Amino acid sequence: HHHGSSTFQVMGGLVGGLRVEPSSASDLPTALQAMARVTMVVHHIALDNSDTSTDPFTVWTYTDLHVRVGATDSIGASYSDSSVTDAWAVNGQYQPQHAMAPGEWQIFDVVNAAGDRILELEINTALQTVDVGDPASVSTATTSGECSSYLLAVDGIYLDTARSGPHVDHLVLVQAQ
């Protein structure tokens, strides 16, 4: 491949996650084995770059990268909202939603696949508006729920003891290298 083309591909969204399962189910506690797992590959695309510095760590937009690697194909990029200058995608979706039942436990495997940004995740108790009853209905209800989070592993290595508390509700994931 041409030098710089892998950067162009990653910045354009060619990313994914790979999970290696334990060699034996007995390596995990029974409670963890029973939980549903959700893999979230988070990716960033810079849509606008007002930084004109010569800093070698400057974040380039996809269009800038297209020019810098000498690509000749048309990327045909167009954005419906020109006020958005950064787009984050989870599993390729912009602003996806994930529903859970009250009291349900799930394991989230989170990968920061952005090559240009540090990802900060904050887990909190939030108020949310949900549709009630008939889908044709416009009635809504505001609910709040408690959300408990535990850090089970770092970089795929399980901790001896799960961590909880405020230091787990705010996680910083460095960019992919």
Side-chain angles (χ1 to χ4, degrees), residues 80-133:
S80 60
D81 185 350
S82 61
S83 68
V84 176
T85 59
D86 287 300
W88 286 90
V90 177
N91 298 339
Q93 298 178 28
Y94 180 64
Q95 297 182 336
Q97 296 182 8
H98 179 76
M100 292 176 62
E104 180 181 5
W105 288 83
Q106 292 185 3
I107 297 174
F108 292 91
D109 297 310
V110 182
V111 177
N112 180 9
D116 62 345
R117 293 279 198 266
I118 292 173
L119 175 64
E120 292 188 52
L121 294 177
E122 187 168 326
I123 301 165
N124 59 21
T125 300
L127 294 176
Q128 54 185 316
T129 303
V130 296
D131 292 326
V132 177

Side-chain angles (χ1 to χ4, degrees), residues 140-151:
T140 60
T142 301
T143 63
S144 99
E146 290 297 320
C147 181
S148 298
S149 57
Y150 295 87
L151 183 63

Side-chain angles (χ1 to χ4, degrees), residues 131-137 139:
D131 292 326
V132 177
D134 185 345
S137 169
S139 62

Side-chain angles (χ1 to χ4, degrees), residues 5-167:
S5 63
S6 59
T7 299
F8 185 55
Q9 293 163 346
V10 168
M11 299 304 285
L14 184 60
V15 297
L18 177 66
R19 180 174 54 226
V20 177
E21 298 290 342
S23 60
S24 169
S26 64
D27 290 344
L28 292 177
T30 306
L32 291 181
Q33 292 177 38
M35 287 184 204
R37 293 187 86 106
V38 178
T39 300
M40 296 190 297
V41 178
V42 183
H43 179 256
H44 172 258
I45 297 178
L47 304 176
D48 181 32
N49 185 4
S50 56
D51 181 3
T52 58
S53 73
T54 57
D55 180 350
F57 298 104
T58 297
V59 175
W60 299 104
T61 67
Y62 189 65
T63 304
D64 292 335
L65 285 170
H66 188 262
V67 171
R68 287 182 170 273
V69 299
T72 57
D73 59 330
S74 172
I75 58 173
S78 64
Y79 310 103
S80 60
D81 185 350
S82 61
S83 68
V84 176
T85 59
D86 287 300
W88 286 90
V90 177
N91 298 339
Q93 298 178 28
Y94 180 64
Q95 297 182 336
Q97 296 182 8
H98 179 76
M100 292 176 62
E104 180 181 5
W105 288 83
Q106 292 185 3
I107 297 174
F108 292 91
D109 297 310
V110 182
V111 177
N112 180 9
D116 62 345
R117 293 279 198 266
I118 292 173
L119 175 64
E120 292 188 52
L121 294 177
E122 187 168 326
I123 301 165
N124 59 21
T125 300
L127 294 176
Q128 54 185 316
T129 303
V130 296
D131 292 326
V132 177
D134 185 345
S137 169
V138 293
S139 62
T140 60
T142 301
T143 63
S144 99
E146 290 297 320
C147 181
S148 298
S149 57
Y150 295 87
L151 183 63
L152 301 176
V154 177
D155 291 336
I157 307 298
Y158 282 92
L159 303 171
D160 290 333
T161 305
R163 298 178 190 164
S164 64
H167 56 283

